[in-house]
Amino acid sequence: MPNKAVFLDRDGTIIAEKEYLSDPAKVELLPGAGDGVAHIRAAGYLAVMTSNQSGVARGYFDEAAVARVNDRLQDMLGKFNTKLDGTYYCPHYAKGSNPVFSRECDCRKPKPGMLKQAARELDIDLNSSWVIGDKQADIDFGRQAGLKTILVLTGYGEETRKQGMAPGEGPDYIARDLGEAAELIIALKKTARGLRNDGE
């Protein structure tokens, strides 16, 4: 049976937004993020991080720096007895300065390349999965692939909400932070299970 997953943006959703973060010493878990990831996994979902890291293409840092930041994040989640089940990032940007990564691609959010790759590699049913993020690109990322979406108000989330979204382009739900988003997913899962049982 395929897995179901919650796809999590990194900067502004799991950790504090610090533009073009490359120093693992500056990684800061947002309040509720550690417990949120733990609750997601305890509820039977894979916790999969998907992140745009155009700083690689822009020449601000290399892929090794991205790996160090992600490793630090995993270490910090370990203090909550949890982890990310998968980490994916897009290093591309069409107008970058590093010729290796300066190109159009199908993995830079809101394009769904990272979702498709994770679905193949981790055997994920996207129709049963969620996306959580703080930007319009995160919401579009999920909607294009048929996933349910939650906008968190951390990072750029409050700004995203204030900017407004056209009908049909907004998130399915809005949550204060990742912890509240995880609680919402779990509550909806229990409700759906209850409805199925009532119909039997």
Side-chain angles (χ1 to χ4, degrees), residues 45-110:
Y45 293 87
L46 299 181
V48 181
M49 186 170 72
T50 51
S51 178
N52 284 346
Q53 293 298 322
S54 69
V56 176
R58 295 172 193 265
Y60 299 160
F61 47 80
D62 58 16
E63 290 190 281
V66 178
R68 288 192 293 270
V69 168
N70 290 346
D71 287 345
R72 174 61 177 155
L73 171 54
Q74 288 279 41
D75 289 343
M76 296 176 79
L77 290 174
K79 296 177 182 178
F80 293 84
N81 296 313
T82 193
K83 66 177 183 178
L84 297 167
D85 296 290
T87 59
Y88 296 85
Y89 69 92
C90 171
H92 307 113
Y93 181 63
K95 298 180 181 179
S97 60
N98 184 328
V100 176
F101 300 102
S102 299
R103 60 179 175 84
E104 295 288 347
C105 65
D106 66 356
C107 57
R108 179 172 170 79
K109 292 188 284 187

Side-chain angles (χ1 to χ4, degrees), residues 5-7 115 126-152 165 168-175 181 184-185 188:
V6 178
F7 293 91
L115 288 174
L126 294 179
N127 291 327
S128 301
S129 298
W130 292 78
V131 166
I132 302 176
D134 66 316
K135 294 181 180 179
Q136 181 69 58
D138 297 309
I139 304 308
D140 294 343
F141 177 61
R143 290 180 64 86
Q144 288 183 34
L147 284 74
K148 294 176 286 294
T149 60
I150 300 177
L151 175 73
V152 287
M165 301 176 186
E169 295 182 1
D172 293 293
Y173 302 94
I174 296 176
L184 175 61
I185 290 172
L188 290 168

